[in-house]
Amino acid sequence: TVNITGSRVVGVFFKPDGTKIYTFTSSDDTIVETTLSTAWDISTHGSADATMVTNQTHNNYPYGLFINDDGTELFTSDLQDRVVQYSMTTAWDLSTASYTRHLDTSANSDGSTIGLTFGGNGKNLYTVCANGFVYRYTLSTAWDVSTATYDSTSSDTDYSPRNVFLKPDGTKLFITNNFADALNQYDLSTPYVITGVDNSTPDSQFVTTTEEAKPYGMYISPDGADLYVGGDDADGIDQYSLG
């Protein structure tokens, strides 16, 4: 465990080369950008390079974090049933981020929108709500939430989810389960398609109780070798080896 934030970590994300980590704390609505001197090794973090407080008009109850492939678009979910988008004029530099637009998810929600992820090169958006359903949206313009339309939903609930993560090839969906103190894995028979996925019966489960009793944010490195989990224990980020 490495204490980068010292608070509830609801979102974790990395620059694709593993040299920067972005941590999101809901207690102060702040995203922190930190450089790692050794890629993917969170014990090598230094002091924060930059911070960003979410837009208090459109994103006052933030959860979840995602950054697009080139580091110019940042997304959070919001308990007011929104997905909120920010643009960075300098890639991967939080100090250049500003609010641009948001998607109202209230028409396709069973409760507060609490987590998000993307797939299909920015053409598929997935949200998870407090009562457990996962929703998929299709974007006609990649990475532009104003072009999103509702597509489909999973078939059952996963009690007390806190975030959702998709394997880049679309074959596995992961949900952080706050009630079970675990990460649930669901294997998608058709990549990126969540229709028919029963969230109440995961294909695999990893319990984080020893290190993180209340998991929230999660991230898996692109090569599948490392797992990162943040949560409500106020002790930062936990790193696990999946090799």
Side-chain angles (χ1 to χ4, degrees):
T1 299
V2 174
N3 195 331
I4 296 175
T5 64
S7 187
R8 173 190 292 172
V9 180
V10 297
V12 182
F13 210 85
F14 280 79
K15 189 177 179 182
D17 64 4
T19 61
K20 285 183 180 291
I21 184 174
Y22 300 81
T23 50
F24 196 4
T25 56
S26 64
S27 56
D28 55 7
D29 302 346
T30 299
I31 303 171
V32 179
E33 171 193 333
T34 309
T35 294
L36 306 180
S37 58
T38 300
W40 305 110
D41 183 351
I42 59 173
S43 70
T44 68
H45 77 90
S47 57
D49 297 321
T51 61
M52 185 197 89
V53 177
T54 59
N55 183 289
Q56 295 300 288
T57 299
H58 304 290
N59 201 188
N60 195 30
Y61 301 96
Y63 276 77
L65 175 63
F66 194 96
I67 303 174
N68 74 334
D69 297 339
D70 66 7
T72 60
E73 303 295 332
L74 182 149
F75 306 85
T76 74
S77 47
D78 193 280
L79 295 184
Q80 298 176 109
D81 277 336
R82 294 172 178 169
V83 171
V84 184
Q85 181 171 354
Y86 302 81
S87 294
M88 288 182 275
T89 55
T90 299
W92 304 105
D93 184 350
L94 280 184
S95 69
T96 69
S98 60
Y99 167 83
T100 51
R101 58 185 70 90
H102 70 269
L103 169 68
D104 185 342
T105 57
S106 59
N108 302 291
S109 171
D110 59 357
S112 301
T113 300
I114 202 166
L116 82 161
T117 192
F118 280 83
N121 297 316
K123 288 294 190 77
N124 296 322
L125 164 66
Y126 303 83
T127 63
V128 66
C129 295
N131 290 341
F133 286 100
V134 178
Y135 296 85
R136 173 181 161 179
Y137 298 81
T138 300
L139 284 66
S140 57
T141 301
W143 309 116
D144 183 346
V145 297
S146 69
T147 70
T149 55
Y150 168 74
D151 180 281
S152 55
T153 187
S154 58
S155 65
D156 207 344
T157 61
D158 181 356
Y159 184 69
S160 193
R162 287 297 179 265
N163 217 325
V164 60
F165 184 88
L166 186 71
K167 187 180 177 184
D169 66 3
T171 60
K172 295 182 185 297
L173 186 76
F174 304 87
I175 294 177
T176 53
N177 187 302
N178 191 252
F179 180 78
D181 303 342
L183 310 182
N184 289 347
Q185 174 185 315
Y186 307 91
D187 300 331
L188 305 183
S189 55
T190 302
Y192 306 108
V193 176
I194 60 171
T195 304
V197 171
D198 184 349
N199 296 345
S200 64
T201 55
D203 294 291
S204 183
Q205 185 179 75
F206 175 65
V207 176
T208 63
T209 305
T210 301
E211 300 83 21
E212 181 54 66
K214 298 295 180 185
Y216 277 70
M218 69 164 289
Y219 183 92
I220 298 176
S221 59
D223 63 1
D226 292 286
L227 164 69
Y228 306 85
V229 179
D232 205 18
D233 282 350
D235 62 355
I237 311 296
D238 298 297
Q239 180 174 355
Y240 305 84
S241 174
L242 298 178

